[in-house]
Amino acid sequence: MKRTVSKYSLLSREDNILFLRTKLPYAEILFDLFMEMESKFPVKISSIDLDFDSRDEIVDLLREISRNLISSREKVVLPLILDDAVSLLLRSIFTGSPDFLIISGRLYLLLNELSNFVAPFIEIPVEELSALCGGSRYEVRDPYMRMVEEFEEESPGIRFNILRFMERADFLRAMGLGNRK
């Protein structure tokens, strides 16, 4: 998580941070990890609780928060993990609509970067969080989340390969994201 924040310059010491808390089984672990990481810095952190308790509702979550917090002066920390980032890409490919993407730890709405939204957890797979939560698994109904799980079962490590692919300059140009490296 620290490496992701540093690599993509997601946060600075002067940021006011708004952490979005969900009712997901691993939400408290993500919040605790984030608070521990940021405890060494003079940042102001507040949080709000969202009424989402399923990873399958991720697009609804993004619609709601982007609509309400797009002009916020705070850095909005999204509790999205590796599986979420990959499933959003798969969703955009299969629906032909790149409404939401997470690229290099930042949220894109209709291919426009929402500069105040960051996802520092994108390199954390769901299995690691499950282990921290006592091994509990969640029922996944969303077809794109199921695809991510099936891909990973067939080819361990593919989620990380897809994440790296999303950072490639040729992919970014093909998506119309301009002069990104």
Side-chain angles (χ1 to χ4, degrees):
M1 189 172 68
K2 290 177 187 178
R3 184 179 57 232
T4 300
V5 169
S6 176
K7 180 179 178 180
Y8 302 119
S9 302
L10 299 179
L11 299 169
S12 73
R13 295 175 189 262
E14 296 81 35
D15 285 334
N16 287 328
I17 298 170
L18 176 61
F19 191 98
L20 302 179
R21 295 171 72 136
T22 65
K23 294 179 182 177
L24 292 169
Y26 52 77
E28 207 54 43
I29 296 285
L30 290 177
F31 184 72
D32 291 346
L33 289 171
F34 186 79
M35 293 300 287
E36 181 181 327
M37 180 183 79
E38 291 299 309
S39 67
K40 299 169 182 70
F41 303 105
V43 295
K44 178 183 173 219
I45 302 174
S46 58
S47 68
I48 58 172
D49 294 325
L50 300 173
D51 194 23
F52 290 93
D53 57 6
S54 167
R55 287 174 58 219
D56 306 329
E57 299 173 347
I58 202 72
V59 172
D60 294 332
L61 167 89
L62 293 174
R63 277 197 187 94
E64 182 71 24
I65 60 176
S66 65
R67 189 178 316 121
N68 293 331
L69 298 172
I70 198 164
S71 62
S72 173
R73 285 185 242 165
E74 297 169 300
K75 284 283 179 98
V76 180
V77 174
L78 302 168
L80 303 177
I81 60 172
L82 174 63
D83 299 64
D84 300 319
V86 173
S87 72
L88 286 170
L89 175 66
L90 293 175
R91 181 180 185 279
S92 72
I93 290 169
F94 287 104
T95 64
S97 173
D99 46 0
F100 292 103
L101 293 172
I102 298 173
I103 300 173
S104 302
R106 299 195 186 283
L107 180 65
Y108 286 78
L109 169 63
L110 300 172
L111 300 179
N112 294 306
E113 180 181 351
L114 300 179
S115 60
N116 62 322
F117 286 80
V118 297
F121 308 108
I122 60 166
E123 300 222 10
I124 300 176
V126 72
E127 294 85 9
E128 288 182 18
L129 290 174
S130 294
L132 290 172
C133 295
S136 61
R137 292 283 298 165
Y138 334 105
E139 179 186 341
V140 176
R141 297 178 307 269
D142 180 80
Y144 307 106
M145 290 289 190
R146 274 199 310 271
M147 260 190 250
V148 171
E149 288 182 353
E150 290 169 6
F151 286 160
E152 187 65 22
E153 285 175 14
E154 292 174 18
S155 302
I158 196 164
R159 291 173 296 189
F160 286 101
N161 291 336
I162 293 171
L163 192 67
R164 298 296 168 255
F165 170 76
M166 291 169 60
E167 297 168 356
R168 290 177 48 131
D170 53 349
F171 171 77
L172 297 171
R173 279 192 304 274
M175 293 299 291
L177 297 175
N179 298 332
R180 299 200 31 119
K181 58 179 183 160

